[in-house]
Every structure is written in structure tokens, then in C-alpha cells.
Amino acid sequence: SSGINAEWPLRPGKEPSEIGQLTEKMIGFNLVTKQTGAEGSPVSNVMVAKALNIVKETYLAIVLDRAYGGPVIIASPDGGVDIEEVAEKTPERVFKIPVDIFEGISDEAAVDLAHKLEFEGDAIPQAAREIKKLYELFIGVDATQVEVNPFGLTDENEVVCFDAKMNFDDNAQFRQKDIFEMEDTSETDPRELEAAKHDLNYIAMEGNIACLVNGAGLAMATMDIIQLHGGSPANFLDVGGSVQESQVEKAFNLLTRDPAVKAIFVNIFGGIVDCKVIATGIINACNKTGLELPLVVRLKGSNMEAARKLLGESGLDMKAYDEFDDAAGAVVKFVN
């Protein structure tokens, strides 16, 4: 369908009767913004909100910061624009305030921040209250980011969070079920959704060498070394540290269903993972699917000798290697 540009998200209407007409013009079209890229994203929902006149715009965000080991407030009196531009051009206008996660934000600290954001008069205590509420929200929903831009003032001297972005800690899904059930998965790759159901981390890519790896770091290194040898990875697939045989089978099913895949590379470093579990899962998956693709396996670490014995006695047509580089080179040769 036809595209609509980035100016469309805000469509002011003075009468409620106009809302229907405006939404009909938006739903079903592709929204093209900096975030979506040139291909755009289909509009399936429209948010209707009360229009407010903004007289002052500031920036306020609360994020988890590894360097500080906890929450950090990032604030600037210059809001309504890209904060990266502000930080580059006028870094003295951007404030970073670490927060003790056990103490939270005191009334004094919130008022001080309101002053830094250059609120005045009656707006200062309002802004301070909003800052404290935002921090309570950040903690209460297990957020990793609450970004408000603009955090501003109306012509009626009311402090308002006009626009916001929030990210949540995936590890807190078990206690934030209501929030995670709101996730829109309509544009997510079905394979990624299926993998997530089995506690597998899967991201499809554009290459032809499927990768089954444990650990995100090793997965990244595997993709890098494949490219170094002139190959192209078809996916990122991390089976994690507590993987079971059934998950390995499911992972193989995902990999073999990709028509672009010409070979499979299993690269396991068994620290937490039992290599024998991986080997048994591979054998079961290959027997069930009748795998015909070239298979290269590298298993190192816990129970690797037992795993290699299982694979050697399985009758599978596969190549086993001890060294990472040798295995990566071999799988690229199979494809080329």
C-alpha cells in the first residue's frame, strides 16, 4: 500500500467526529520514519490523545547503567530534540545523576533536578513529584529505560510527560506478565517467536550457514569467523547454558526449515552445557528430519569425549573438528 511520511503520526482534530475520518486515512498504510527505514511499517492501531499546548520542553530519562551499577537519571533542560545532538553540541547541558537503588530519589534531589531542568515557580514542585513518580514506575515495572521527551510544561502551567519510550527487563517477564502480554508480535519473524517459546534465542539473517551455538559471545564470534573465511551466517541461535535434548531438536527443526541454509555449523563450548546432551539432541533431530545438509560439529568441554563417541557411533554423515578455526573453514568450504 502507499506510504505515509513521518509527519502523519500527529494529526490534530478539533472535533470528536473528525477522529474516524483521520484514522481511516492512516490505518492500513505504511508509516515511514527514521525508525522504520525506507520500507516503512504498516499502521494497525492509532493512538488518540488530548492535544496540549507546550510552552517548555525538557528531557528526562531513567536507565540502568552498567558503568554506575544501577539506575541513572539523564536530564537536560533542552528537550523536544535528539538528546545525542544536545550531548554533542552542549554537553554541559546534560546531567547524569546516579540513584542508589536502595534509597531511591529524595525530595531534595527531585527538587534540585527540577531546578536543573529550569522549571520555575509552581512548576518546580510539580516537576519534582513527576520525577519521583517516574522513578517509582521505573522500579515497579522492572524497566531498563524510561525516556520522556519532552518532559514539559503546558500553557496552563501543568507539568506533563508528553511522549515516552519504555524498555523492560526480559528476565522480569515472570512477574510482569500483564506488560509482556501487550507486546505486538505481528511484525516479528515467526521463527523467532517459536524459538522463544522453547527458551531459544534466534535471529534470522541473510546468509546460508546455519549456526547452533551456546552463549551469545560465542555465537557472535562464530558469525565473525564464518565471515572471515568468506562465508555468511544464516542466523544467530543461542541455545543457552541449561539446554535440554528437546531444545536441541527444536533448534535443528528451525534451522532446517530455512530454504536458504546450505550447511549447519554446531559450535559448543561445554562449560555449563553438557556436550553429551547436545550430541544426543543432534542425533535425535537428524534421525527425525532425515537431515541431508552438510553438518560440521565442534564440541569442547564437559563430557566432550562421550559426546564424540555418541556422534561417531550414530552413523550420521558429519564432520567433527577440535579447533574453532578449522571447523569454521570446513563449513564455508562445504557451501562454496
Side-chain angles (χ1 to χ4, degrees), residues 193-309:
L193 294 175
E194 185 176 351
K197 291 178 182 178
H198 299 276
D199 294 323
L200 301 170
N201 296 313
Y202 176 91
I203 300 173
M205 302 179 74
E206 297 180 353
N208 54 15
I209 298 175
C211 305
L212 189 155
V213 188
N214 68 306
L218 184 59
M220 296 295 290
T222 300
M223 292 190 292
D224 287 344
I225 201 166
I226 285 173
Q227 291 176 318
L228 185 65
H229 281 278
S232 180
N235 65 275
F236 171 104
L237 199 161
D238 170 18
V239 298
S242 57
V243 64
Q244 301 299 313
E245 293 171 14
S246 60
Q247 292 171 288
V248 178
E249 290 184 39
K250 179 54 66 176
F252 256 77
N253 289 336
L254 285 170
L255 299 179
T256 55
R257 293 209 314 257
D258 185 347
V261 169
K262 304 301 180 187
I264 298 177
F265 182 20
V266 178
N267 186 21
I268 299 295
F269 182 78
I272 301 173
V273 172
D274 187 336
C275 291
K276 190 176 177 181
V277 170
I278 299 291
T280 304
I282 291 172
I283 294 168
N284 292 340
C286 290
N287 289 335
K288 289 180 180 179
T289 61
L291 183 70
E292 297 180 355
L293 296 170
L295 174 62
V296 173
V297 178
R298 173 185 177 260
L299 300 175
K300 280 279 192 178
S302 177
N303 245 344
M304 66 180 183
E305 295 300 337
R308 289 172 181 173
K309 184 179 179 182

